[in-house]
Amino acid sequence: MTNIEEIKLEVYNPTSSFEVNQGFAARLPDLDGKIIAEIANPGWQFDRTFALVESLLKEKYPTAKFISYKDLPELNNVTDTKGIEEALKAVGAQAAIIGNAG
Amino acid sequence: MGIPTAIIVRQGFTRIVANAFAGFGLPREAPVLYEFPTAMFETGSDLTPINQNIDKLVAALTTWTPRVSSKGVFKPPMVTITGKDYQNALENMQSHFMKNLWGAGLPINPPTKAALDKLLSGTPLSPDTVISPSGGVVPKGGIATVQSIAVALAMAGGRPEYMPVLISAVRAITNPKFGLKALNPTTNDIVPVIVVNGPIARQIRLSSGYGLMGPDPQYPASEIIGRAIRYIQQNLGGAIPGAGTMANFGGLRSVNAVFAEDEAGLPEGWDSFAVEQGFKKDQNIVTAAAANSMVNLVMKTYGTKEKNDTMLMNIASYMSMSNTFGYVPLEAWQSPSLANGMLLMTRGFAAALASASATNYSKKDVKTFLWNNTLFPVERARAMGQAPLSTTGEDKLKPFVITDSAGKSVIPLTATPAQITIIIAGGEQSGHCYWMAANGPNGYLHVNDEIQLPANWQELLQQAEKDLGPLPGGSIYSDGIRHL
């Protein structure tokens, strides 16, 4: 019996290859006593959301320390991290919250 | 950054973040366990969703586990499409590509090995040659090789003689200086603009005249190359509307803007765009620029000094509203390569400006005139809310403000008149100019690339004449004499 699917088109996948050369940082067991940096992507009510996030996290983790976004470089778009890594190391940040991505 | 990170993300934005992480060499995912409603990010909004979901932000820092942990280069396999006949297989391929978000709605030509072999004859580079820098086509990070570029061109229906321009264009737009990491995902409606100088433009039928930005069967290279670039932005860079790119309107994104300067229309003494940037007259050069809005300017009357200056004032009034008001990074602002918009000027108007009996303007004179007449009063900028303060309260406008001849504080369109870009292009029957603005917070820069031709270039052009007919305006070989 003839197979009705007679034509095969072999085409290249247009997404091309990509490289994964690093993994995500290990997560923390909890936020007790941790230094948490706030990194602002200015706009989208970031000042209000950071104020609220900080107060809520302080209630849950009273020993956590927060480094305000005002004391760190801004993140002007999601991929522009110039100066931020150094600033985070300088303050000994153990976690970071970026806001607001939109 | 080496530390666990949580991100406050609005609805629909996680894929953008995942793309961005992929561009850093991380797995293509993001530590986001909740997307906050868009309404929460508006002025004076109800922030209750933060109260209700704070545990999810904590979980992103403490318990979140990525799906992928292995490292290496991952190459997708070939795709096999079947059908009862060729037509059916072709239709099945269209469906497969659309389901996988690899197309954009228009019919796709199959990127088979045979199609690629033909296209690869248009470049001296091997298929495995990597064109994009480390990090790939940002933000998603797909690696642009000569082969993957040929795949995009095959899908777009391209010809081998388009490969040199396309490869140069991809190298230019993926150069980190260009700013693709911002251009691809942004909410700003911004596209790459590829300007080509040199003899190659006419040889491969790139438009420099009538209908410059639109479809033209006489100059098909422009749209096809632009479409291939779009496939690269989308399939390698992740620019899917609403998921990988947030541009609200997406104008010109089907085919971007790819055209040649009308070098034959340059007035005596006016250098081409490429020569202004330091290249020689007959060098084949690609310049990548950016544009987010365009306006057609009708030159109602010109030809005398008074009329010419009036028309330039008209143009300046449109240009002045593209001021970036200090949003541009200072380093970009001060760069000679600042891509802050380009004015396309038809040859007739340029000739009138240069005419000794009228304004007798050099290109530099025109740039200075436009610069002086696009100075934006700071007072007016502040009244419009265009006076951003940084998160530390610093006045961001300050480094960009100068004092004009009347002693007023003003912000120029560009740091210097030399940074104003004027390109001669558009149909010979003049009467219009075209302002392509590039305002946005990222500071795009012009990036050049010299086009590399294969050894069999003349054979490719001869084949093009057989396939497409003589060049508009006369064949290269119709009388045995090369006219280019």
Side-chain angles (χ1 to χ4, degrees):
Chain A
M1 187 172 171
T2 308
N3 185 348
I4 61 166
E5 302 213 322
E6 293 183 23
I7 300 292
K8 274 189 187 176
L9 269 181
E10 291 263 326
V11 294
Y12 287 90
N13 183 313
T15 60
S16 195
S17 45
F18 61 93
E19 184 176 8
V20 176
N21 55 30
Q22 57 172 320
F24 284 98
R27 303 294 112 172
L28 299 168
D30 54 59
L31 300 184
D32 287 317
K34 302 298 189 293
I35 300 172
I36 303 170
E38 297 165 355
I39 302 170
N41 177 22
W44 306 101
Q45 304 290 290
F46 71 99
D47 48 343
R48 294 177 61 226
T49 54
F50 267 133
L52 179 56
V53 164
E54 190 175 319
S55 76
L56 290 171
L57 290 180
K58 272 180 178 163
E59 272 178 44
K60 284 178 168 297
Y61 306 99
T63 57
K65 188 186 168 196
F66 293 86
I67 309 292
S68 168
Y69 59 85
K70 295 175 191 173
D71 299 320
L72 292 166
E74 291 173 352
L75 183 67
N76 281 311
N77 65 59
V78 185
T79 55
D80 186 1
T81 59
K82 193 176 172 183
I84 290 176
E85 204 166 337
E86 296 83 351
L88 291 175
K89 279 191 181 135
V91 299
Q94 293 162 287
I97 299 175
I98 300 174
N100 288 330
Chain B
M1 295 189 287
I3 56 174
T5 306
I7 308 161
I8 302 171
V9 173
R10 71 171 169 88
Q11 212 159 14
F13 214 73
T14 304
R15 202 158 166 176
I16 291 259
V17 177
N19 277 351
F21 282 179
F24 281 119
L26 287 160
R28 218 166 260 173
E29 50 186 312
V32 173
L33 289 141
Y34 183 75
E35 288 185 337
F36 293 89
T38 304
M40 194 190 85
F41 298 89
E42 291 163 12
T43 306
S45 63
D46 174 10
L47 297 183
T48 308
I50 299 262
N51 298 75
Q52 294 168 341
N53 294 284
I54 192 67
D55 285 341
K56 295 196 175 75
L57 266 183
V58 173
L61 294 174
T62 54
T63 58
W64 178 76
T65 308
R67 289 191 312 272
V68 171
S69 54
S70 52
K71 296 179 191 172
V73 176
F74 299 89
K75 186 170 180 176
M78 296 284 284
V79 178
T80 302
I81 309 286
T82 56
K84 59 177 171 26
D85 52 34
Y86 181 77
Q87 179 63 31
N88 183 232
L90 194 60
E91 287 165 4
N92 289 342
M93 190 205 80
Q94 306 293 333
S95 300
H96 185 85
F97 272 52
M98 290 306 291
K99 281 180 196 167
N100 282 280
L101 305 183
W102 295 340
L106 288 174
I108 296 161
N109 287 19
T112 59
K113 187 176 181 308
L116 254 72
D117 285 346
K118 191 173 172 186
L119 293 179
L120 290 169
S121 70
T123 174
L125 303 172
S126 73
D128 292 335
T129 306
V130 176
I131 300 300
S132 53
S134 169
V137 182
V138 289
K140 195 169 86 164
I143 300 170
T145 58
V146 167
Q147 181 180 83
S148 61
I149 291 170
V151 169
L153 187 60
M155 289 167 64
R159 296 181 55 82
E161 65 269 20
Y162 301 168
M163 280 292 285
V165 167
L166 180 58
I167 289 170
S168 275
V170 173
R171 193 182 284 117
I173 66 170
T174 56
N175 184 317
K177 286 186 202 168
F178 174 68
L180 192 66
K181 67 181 178 184
L183 183 147
N184 246 358
T186 183
T187 50
N188 194 347
D189 182 25
I190 195 147
V191 298
V193 178
I194 303 298
V195 184
V196 179
N197 285 99
I200 193 173
R202 181 163 182 261
Q203 287 170 344
I204 68 168
R205 305 171 199 234
L206 266 176
S207 185
S208 64
Y210 289 107
L212 188 77
M213 307 279 176
D216 186 345
Q218 305 161 99
Y219 296 98
S222 299
E223 282 222 335
I224 292 172
I225 292 171
R227 192 175 164 205
I229 293 171
R230 184 66 210 159
Y231 284 140
I232 288 164
Q233 287 174 266
Q234 175 182 291
N235 295 331
L236 279 66
I240 305 278
T245 172
M246 306 309 279
N248 292 112
F249 301 108
L252 267 198
R253 283 189 168 202
S254 287
V255 294
N256 295 309
V258 179
F259 58 88
E261 183 162 27
D262 175 17
E263 293 186 33
L266 283 161
E268 183 72 35
W270 285 37
D271 285 333
S272 72
F273 186 35
V275 168
E276 280 186 308
Q277 297 179 88
F279 298 98
K280 294 197 181 79
K281 191 171 177 292
D282 287 327
Q283 270 184 284
N284 288 319
I285 301 293
V286 146
T287 305
N292 68 342
S293 55
M294 299 103 198
V295 60
N296 188 79
L297 308 168
V298 182
M299 303 292 101
K300 290 187 179 136
T301 177
Y302 54 85
T304 65
K305 178 162 175 33
E306 188 188 353
K307 287 176 183 175
N308 285 354
D309 283 349
T310 302
M311 288 299 104
L312 284 178
M313 287 294 290
N314 197 329
I315 293 169
S317 69
Y318 283 92
M319 290 171 67
S320 69
M321 287 312 299
S322 305
N323 200 302
T324 48
F325 303 113
Y327 274 105
V328 178
L330 200 54
E331 200 183 324
W333 176 252
Q334 293 166 339
S335 168
S337 305
L338 176 68
N340 217 28
M342 53 177 65
L343 178 66
L344 306 188
M345 187 180 283
T346 47
R347 54 165 71 177
F349 185 53
L353 292 175
S355 168
S357 62
T359 32
N360 198 28
Y361 284 158
S362 65
K363 202 176 193 186
K364 186 179 171 186
D365 292 332
V366 176
K367 290 186 180 199
T368 304
F369 186 107
L370 291 171
W371 190 86
N372 281 326
N373 287 285
T374 50
L375 297 173
F376 205 102
V378 169
E379 204 178 303
R380 188 177 168 211
R382 293 204 194 281
M384 285 164 58
Q386 296 290 356
L389 293 178
S390 71
T391 51
T392 55
E394 182 194 334
D395 182 359
K396 280 184 164 183
L397 260 186
K398 217 169 157 188
F400 303 88
V401 176
I402 62 170
T403 306
D404 70 4
S405 55
K408 276 191 172 171
S409 292
V410 292
I411 316 152
L413 184 67
T414 55
T416 65
Q419 290 165 305
I420 290 197
T421 302
I422 297 174
I423 294 173
I424 307 304
E428 288 181 30
Q429 177 264 318
S430 301
H432 298 258
C433 289
Y434 207 68
W435 170 238
M436 302 179 76
N439 53 320
N442 301 297
Y444 299 99
L445 296 179
H446 291 143
V447 175
N448 308 110
D449 196 76
E450 184 165 11
I451 299 165
Q452 293 175 274
L453 300 180
N456 60 335
W457 186 241
Q458 296 305 324
E459 285 80 8
L460 290 177
L461 296 183
Q462 282 182 305
Q463 187 61 49
E465 289 232 8
K466 284 181 191 157
D467 294 341
L468 303 175
L471 281 177
S475 165
I476 304 176
Y477 295 105
S478 59
D479 54 2
I481 298 169
R482 191 178 306 157
H483 290 274
L484 294 178

